[in-house]
């Protein structure tokens, strides 16, 4: 096949893969791996086509992102122990109780809990759903706007872009190491991501006039139960992980498996549930999409896309446009499986042409994508809507419209932070 044709065809096949996967509800990673093989039959490398029998598919299988797979699986298993045995649930309830009836403080505490949880890696979809469920329960009990509480959770989760043990941070690090030879989380992305998360929550708090929530008397029945022995051991295990992996620079994956093994041996959680709750679907999606992106890149598709995008961007517009692009794509596709693996490889070329800081572009893209997960047409937003919709007091149609509107508001907020330099 002509070299001039294979680049646009590779991009078309990539888009078709995403559309078919979403329409047919088939895991994008499985489809992407299959499409990588088909496309590889026509993409030439040294020795022949990438999928040629004589090369035994090695040029394609070598694209498997082992480091991302390793980190995502190991850290997820460890954090699942805390999710399964109720540690995360109980901790956030205890923190909320600190408000002692001062309802204006509750959204702030929920934000801070999510902020800290995602900083140490507890930003998986399972944990997000768990904390969204808790936030919805608190909203019902305390008569607080459920959308306000949901946005408090989701804005706190955006700091995960700069955490080296959160799935998003792991992916950003894995791709940045391939492109620039160094990890950018937490060294670069954490402080910028944290600043944007705090500023975004401040905007949310102002929009919902959180300070006007009146205080209520505290009931003794509201006291949360004490941490069990298993939950205390789980928290100690997480502390050991932070000290060894983040303080002493041991391999995070190995330490995560060590902590998981010890906690399971101590009976802190049911092993089958811990393994079953691992984000297998996301892992498949991430790995498959990374392989397909690698083949598209070899076909010249990424260079073609970069060239097309460069005509719409300059030094001043590139960061907010990357933020908006991430937001729009994240509304209809996976952040970790589609948005980041697809868009980050376009950044080196765009950064070179516009003179922008490539790390700032990664941060803008990742934050813009993460902040709009409140959209009810996104996977997490749809789940959150379903959680809130179980309360007959809340109109699901109105919740849908409000969540949709606020997702665009937050898209604009993220673009502003990128434009004025908060992203770097």
């Amino acid at each position: 096949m002509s070299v001039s044709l294979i680049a646009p065809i590779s991009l078309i096949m990539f888009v078709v893969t995403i559309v078919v996967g979403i329409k047919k509800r088939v895991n994008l990673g499985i489809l992407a791996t299959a499409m990588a093989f088909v496309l590889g039959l026509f993409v030439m490398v040294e020795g022949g086509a990438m999928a040629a029998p004589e090369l035994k598919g090695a040029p394609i299988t070598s694209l498997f992102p082992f480091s991302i797979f390793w980190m995502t699986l190991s850290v997820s298993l460890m954090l699942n122990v805390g999710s399964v045995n109720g540690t995360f649930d109980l901790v956030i309830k205890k923190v909320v109780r600190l408000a002692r009836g001062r309802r204006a403080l509750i959204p702030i505490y929920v934000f801070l809990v999510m902020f800290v949880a995602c900083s140490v890696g507890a930003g998986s979809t399972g944990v997000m759903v768990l904390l969204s469920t808790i936030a919805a329960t608190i909203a019902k009990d305390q008569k607080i706007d459920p959308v306000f509480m949901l946005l408090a959770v989701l804005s706190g989760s955006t700091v995960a872009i700069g955490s080296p043990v959160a799935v998003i941070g792991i992916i950003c690090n894995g791709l940045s190491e391939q492109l620039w030879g160094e990890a950018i989380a937490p060294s670069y992305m954490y402080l910028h991501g944290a600043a944007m998360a705090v500023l975004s929550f401040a905007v949310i708090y102002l929009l919902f006039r959180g300070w006007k929530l009146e205080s209520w008397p505290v009931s003794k029945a509201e006291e949360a139960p004490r941490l069990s022995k298993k939950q205390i051991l789980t928290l100690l295990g997480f502390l050991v992980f932070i000290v060894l992996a983040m303080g002493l620079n041991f391999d995070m994956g190995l330490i995560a498996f060590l902590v998981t093994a010890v906690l399971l041996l101590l009976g802190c959680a049911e092993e089958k549930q811990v393994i079953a709750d691992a984000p297998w679907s996301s892992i498949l999606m991430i790995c498959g999409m990374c392989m397909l992106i690698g083949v598209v890149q070899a076909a010249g598709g990424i260079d073609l896309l970069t060239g097309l995008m460069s005509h719409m961007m300059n030094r001043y517009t590139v960061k907010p446009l990357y933020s908006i692009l991430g937001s729009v794509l994240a509304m209809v596709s996976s952040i970790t499986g589609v948005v980041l693996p697809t868009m980050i490889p376009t950044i080196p070329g765009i950064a070179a042409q516009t003179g922008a800081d490539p790390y700032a572009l990664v941060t803008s893209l990742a934050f813009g994508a993460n902040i709009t997960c409140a959209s009810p047409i996104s996977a997490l937003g749809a789940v959150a809507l379903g959680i809130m919709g179980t309360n007959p007091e809340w109109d699901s149609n109105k919740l849908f419209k409000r969540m949709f509107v606020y997702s665009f508001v937050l898209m604009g907020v993220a673009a502003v932070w990128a434009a004025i330099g908060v992203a770097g």
Side-chain angles (χ1 to χ4, degrees):
M1 185 179 290
S2 171
V3 176
S4 61
L5 288 177
I6 191 64
I9 288 175
S10 68
L11 287 177
I12 293 171
M13 292 177 70
F14 177 77
V15 173
V16 168
T17 301
I18 296 175
V19 172
V20 171
I22 294 174
K23 288 285 186 180
K24 296 294 184 179
R25 297 184 179 180
V26 176
N27 186 282
L28 284 174
I30 296 174
L31 286 181
T33 304
M35 191 64 81
F37 169 74
V38 174
L39 183 59
L41 292 171
F42 305 97
V43 179
M44 303 303 294
V45 294
E46 185 178 351
M50 295 183 77
E54 55 268 24
L55 295 180
K56 298 183 178 180
I60 296 178
T61 55
S62 65
L63 296 171
F64 184 84
F66 176 77
S67 61
I68 294 175
F69 168 82
W70 169 251
M71 285 291 294
T72 304
L73 178 61
S74 59
V75 173
S76 295
L77 288 174
M78 180 186 70
L79 295 173
N80 281 352
V81 176
S83 179
V84 169
N85 66 18
T87 300
F88 295 137
D89 185 354
L90 190 55
V91 167
I92 191 172
K93 286 181 178 178
K94 282 185 171 293
V95 171
V96 169
R97 294 299 182 270
L98 295 176
R100 306 302 297 175
R102 292 168 291 183
R103 293 192 303 150
L105 295 179
I106 292 177
I108 297 175
Y109 286 162
V110 170
F111 166 79
L112 290 175
V113 168
M114 197 64 192
F115 184 95
V116 173
C118 288
S119 293
V120 298
S124 67
T125 301
V127 173
M128 293 278 286
V129 171
L130 172 65
L131 295 184
S132 295
T133 304
I134 296 170
T137 302
I138 294 170
K140 179 182 177 182
D141 293 342
Q142 299 293 321
K143 302 298 181 184
I144 300 175
D145 189 326
V147 176
F148 185 13
M149 292 296 289
L150 173 65
L151 295 181
V153 171
L154 298 182
S155 60
S157 74
T158 55
V159 75
I161 67 170
S163 171
V165 292
V167 174
I168 291 180
I170 291 170
I171 293 171
C172 289
N173 271 347
L175 294 173
S176 67
E177 286 174 348
Q178 294 174 19
L179 297 171
W180 300 290
E182 64 176 335
I184 60 176
S187 57
Y188 184 93
M189 291 183 70
Y190 184 79
L191 289 178
H192 293 290
M196 289 192 289
V198 172
L199 289 172
S200 297
F201 174 71
V203 171
I204 292 167
Y205 197 82
L206 289 172
L207 289 174
F208 284 89
R209 300 184 179 184
W211 69 90
K212 289 193 172 184
L213 289 170
E214 297 178 357
S215 298
W216 282 6
V218 182
S219 169
K220 292 183 179 180
E222 292 181 349
E223 294 298 327
R226 294 182 178 180
L227 288 165
S228 67
K229 180 181 177 181
K230 293 179 180 180
Q231 291 167 336
I232 293 173
L233 288 173
T234 300
L235 292 176
L236 289 175
F238 292 167
L239 178 61
V240 169
F241 171 80
I242 293 171
V243 172
L244 294 180
M246 305 178 75
L248 300 179
N249 292 319
F250 281 96
D251 180 83
M252 290 186 184
L254 291 173
I255 299 302
F257 269 109
L258 172 65
V259 171
T260 303
V262 171
L263 292 177
L264 290 178
L265 287 171
L266 293 174
C268 292
E270 178 62 41
E271 176 191 339
K272 289 184 178 180
Q273 191 172 351
V274 168
I275 295 174
D277 287 352
W280 295 110
S281 180
S282 296
I283 291 172
L284 280 173
M285 185 186 302
I286 294 164
C287 294
M289 290 300 292
C290 283
M291 293 172 70
L292 179 56
I293 286 294
V295 178
V296 172
Q297 191 165 17
I302 297 299
D303 291 337
L304 176 61
L305 180 61
T306 300
L308 294 173
M309 292 173 58
S310 65
H311 295 300
M312 302 181 290
M313 297 180 178
N314 57 46
R315 185 177 181 181
Y316 303 102
T317 63
V318 62
K319 287 188 290 186
L321 283 177
Y322 258 96
S323 176
I324 292 171
L325 194 58
S327 296
V328 172
L329 290 174
M331 286 187 180
V332 295
S333 60
S334 166
I335 299 173
T336 54
V338 177
V339 181
L340 298 181
T342 303
M343 298 309 302
I344 290 179
T346 68
I347 288 176
I350 294 292
Q353 291 184 37
T354 60
D357 183 345
Y359 295 173
L361 294 183
V362 176
T363 306
S364 299
L365 173 70
F367 189 84
N370 209 16
I371 196 68
T372 53
C373 56
S375 168
I377 62 174
S378 71
L380 185 59
V383 172
L385 179 63
I387 292 169
M388 293 188 295
T390 58
N391 185 350
E393 297 179 9
W394 298 331
D395 188 322
S396 295
N397 290 328
K398 289 182 179 179
L399 288 175
F400 181 94
K401 293 176 183 177
R402 295 181 64 213
M403 288 171 64
F404 198 67
V405 169
Y406 276 108
S407 65
F408 278 95
V409 170
L410 293 176
M411 179 195 303
V413 168
V416 169
W417 302 151
I420 65 177
V422 183

